[in-house]
Amino acid sequence: MFAVGASALLVMSAPVMALTVYKYVDKNGVVTYSDQAAPGAEVFQFRDRMVERIESQVKLSSKKHEAGETLIVDNQLHAPVQIELSLSGLSNVSGAPDKPLTWVLPPRSKIRLLTLAPRDASKPMRYKSRLKTALGDPRLLPKNYAYPLPWRGGPFRLTQGANGKYSHFTRKGRYAMDIAMPVGTPIVAARAGVVVKTENQQSGRGNNPSGNFVRVLHEDGTMSVYLHLMRGSVKVLEGERVKVGQLLARSGNTGNSTGPHLHFVVQRNVGLAVESIPFDFSQPVNSLPNFAVGGD
């Protein structure tokens, strides 16, 4: 069994995995969660999937001209993106690569990836394209960094850690931490960086397992992500640079969450795949953070 605060994993794209968990409330109001069913238990189903919809901000387009057509990739995100372009079903096409093309696009940039031409100018070209994307630059290596506790107040309690039984069991989130805390607790940046993605409009369980979140990119290519935030509480904008201790949002209970808590995870692109990586807090979770005293 485990206490309040298990959460969904953060991934860019992955097959959906599910786990059913049962919530019990005893006569004294104590809440317990278990993977064992019993009469009167409320059912929670965990799915380790989060959709950040970066495909709408990393776009493949083609520009036709007399010589043929040029394929262009436009990265509108405030973070580098690794791409892989593959072509199949080729008919009357020259200039197509034998292997998929990979590239890392800087933030807010576009590239003319390749130009295709017809073998026979009197006939149309036919082909199918597939673009795979992953946030971050896999060429960068993580630096040693002890993360200050990303909240004000406490002390709070770790309710699920690395390789947790209920949701921290895949490459995308195995090193995540769930910390139970009251709704409305100030959530602050544990490391300086650029805000890459946010979600601020999820209410209750919503339609996104991770609820409201903030993703911050650091200088070494790693990304910290703060999940299950209170609706409407996110105070930062995509593209904004944040400092350690800066208010990001307030904790909540949105998305696939069994109770009020913060899900904190550090990730990096390991090569067309965003994965959770190990990290350390600079002090025990159940202690007051260094910057606990002060305003918002």
Side-chain angles (χ1 to χ4, degrees), residues 4-5 150-157 159 178-187 227-231 233 249-254 257 259-263 285 288:
V4 173
W151 59 80
R152 295 195 187 120
F156 299 130
R157 183 165 52 92
T159 55
D178 284 345
I179 301 95
M181 61 183 61
V183 169
T185 299
I187 302 302
L227 288 79
H228 304 303
L229 306 173
M230 179 193 298
R231 181 183 185 184
S233 73
R250 293 186 179 273
S251 66
N253 189 25
T254 58
S257 169
H261 76 289
L262 172 69
H263 173 111
V285 168
L288 289 174

Side-chain angles (χ1 to χ4, degrees), residues 33-290:
Y33 295 89
S34 172
D35 57 354
Q36 302 297 316
E42 182 180 353
V43 175
F44 286 87
Q45 190 174 65
F46 289 93
R47 297 182 182 276
D48 65 338
R49 181 169 180 249
M50 177 183 179
V51 181
E52 289 188 70
R53 300 180 180 88
I54 70 168
E55 68 275 5
S56 65
Q57 293 174 276
V58 183
K59 300 179 180 180
L60 175 66
S61 62
S62 64
K63 183 177 181 180
K64 296 185 179 181
H65 43 76
E66 290 185 0
E69 58 185 86
T70 299
L71 299 184
I72 302 168
V73 181
D74 184 5
N75 174 21
Q76 300 174 0
L77 294 163
H78 296 275
V81 173
Q82 185 182 20
I83 62 169
E84 179 186 89
L85 176 67
S86 57
L87 301 178
S88 62
L90 300 171
S91 175
N92 192 38
V93 175
S94 65
D98 296 330
K99 299 179 180 179
L101 287 177
T102 60
W103 201 264
V104 177
L105 272 72
R108 313 286 286 181
S109 69
K110 65 172 61 177
I111 184 175
R112 296 178 180 179
L113 205 55
L114 73 139
T115 295
L116 304 174
R119 296 182 183 279
D120 183 344
S122 66
K123 297 180 181 179
M125 293 190 298
R126 292 188 175 87
Y127 63 91
K128 293 181 180 179
S129 61
R130 183 188 180 195
L131 184 69
K132 294 177 63 178
T133 62
L135 270 173
D137 187 341
R139 299 169 298 184
L140 299 177
L141 298 178
K143 297 179 180 178
N144 290 330
Y145 183 80
Y147 287 79
L149 301 182
W151 59 80
R152 295 195 187 120
F156 299 130
R157 183 165 52 92
L158 179 70
T159 55
Q160 188 178 197
N163 295 298
K165 176 180 179 181
Y166 292 93
S167 62
H168 301 174
F169 49 73
T170 72
R171 294 183 305 169
K172 307 301 187 294
R174 63 171 50 148
Y175 299 108
M177 300 286 183
D178 284 345
I179 301 95
M181 61 183 61
V183 169
T185 299
I187 302 302
V188 298
R191 190 173 183 180
V194 177
V195 178
V196 176
K197 291 287 290 180
T198 65
E199 171 64 54
N200 198 25
Q201 297 303 317
Q202 295 285 311
S203 60
R205 295 182 69 80
N207 54 24
N208 188 321
S210 295
N212 301 306
F213 67 89
V214 174
R215 174 184 286 273
V216 177
L217 172 69
H218 312 132
E219 63 176 357
D220 62 353
T222 60
M223 294 170 279
S224 55
V225 198
Y226 310 73
L227 288 79
H228 304 303
L229 306 173
M230 179 193 298
R231 181 183 185 184
S233 73
V234 175
K235 302 298 182 184
V236 291
L237 301 174
E238 293 178 7
E240 180 178 345
R241 291 188 175 274
V242 295
K243 300 178 180 179
V244 175
Q246 182 174 337
L247 181 67
L248 300 178
R250 293 186 179 273
S251 66
N253 189 25
T254 58
N256 200 351
S257 169
T258 60
H261 76 289
L262 172 69
H263 173 111
F264 181 80
V265 64
V266 179
Q267 299 176 326
R268 68 178 292 257
N269 181 355
V270 297
L272 281 172
V274 173
E275 295 188 1
S276 170
I277 62 173
F279 70 92
D280 292 316
F281 283 128
S282 60
Q283 60 193 102
V285 168
N286 63 354
S287 63
L288 289 174
N290 293 330

Side-chain angles (χ1 to χ4, degrees), residues 18-30:
L19 175 70
T20 300
V21 176
Y22 302 90
K23 174 183 177 180
Y24 303 87
V25 182
D26 67 18
K27 61 182 180 180
N28 297 316
V30 176

